[in-house]
Amino acid sequence: MSINDIQFKLMHGAGNIFMIIDNDELNLPIEQLAEFFTLHYPLHFPVDGLLAYRISDVNDYEFIIDFLNPDGSHGAMCGNGARCALKYHVEYFEEFPPDSYMAKFLMAGNIYSGFYLNFGDYISVTFPNEPIHPQHVFSFEVKLLDPLTYLYRH
């Protein structure tokens, strides 16, 4: 597969739009992800970052997200991107997406906890060393976007 043939999804969380790819099979290093995102960008409108998803091979967390900024630099933690990644994980990699789900994942070198509630209507991420408060669980919507619909509206 050429770098131009990479399949992706678009998701938004609280107004931020992200391109998300399944990097588990592709296994592209950060440098090639940055090349794809900056030199072979397939869209005609900007997004806020690239989320590269991989299944974890350790028991401490279920998946790994590499986040790249629009300029291709390896980004730090992005809360809205993390919520999109959690929804992607549950809806594409769980055999039967549940009404609620809790997962741990690795992003920017830290392990985060994420909550998927009411069939994905509410998604929240708890930062390391942060106590879980009920108001953190109910968060902004996260949705899958159709590139043509988005382009038409904007």
Side-chain angles (χ1 to χ4, degrees), residues 34-53:
E35 177 186 339
F36 164 72
F37 197 46
T38 58
L39 301 178
H40 304 281
Y41 184 74
L43 301 173
H44 299 287
F45 55 87
V47 296
D48 296 298
L50 171 71
L51 302 169
Y53 172 94

Side-chain angles (χ1 to χ4, degrees), residues 26-27 79 81 87 98 125 146:
L26 297 170
N27 201 24
K87 183 163 186 146
V125 171
D146 172 33

Side-chain angles (χ1 to χ4, degrees), residues 10 17 43-46 145-154:
L10 289 179
I17 299 172
L43 301 173
H44 299 287
F45 55 87
L145 293 176
D146 172 33
L148 295 177
T149 303
Y150 181 79
L151 186 59
Y152 176 75
R153 290 183 184 167
H154 294 85

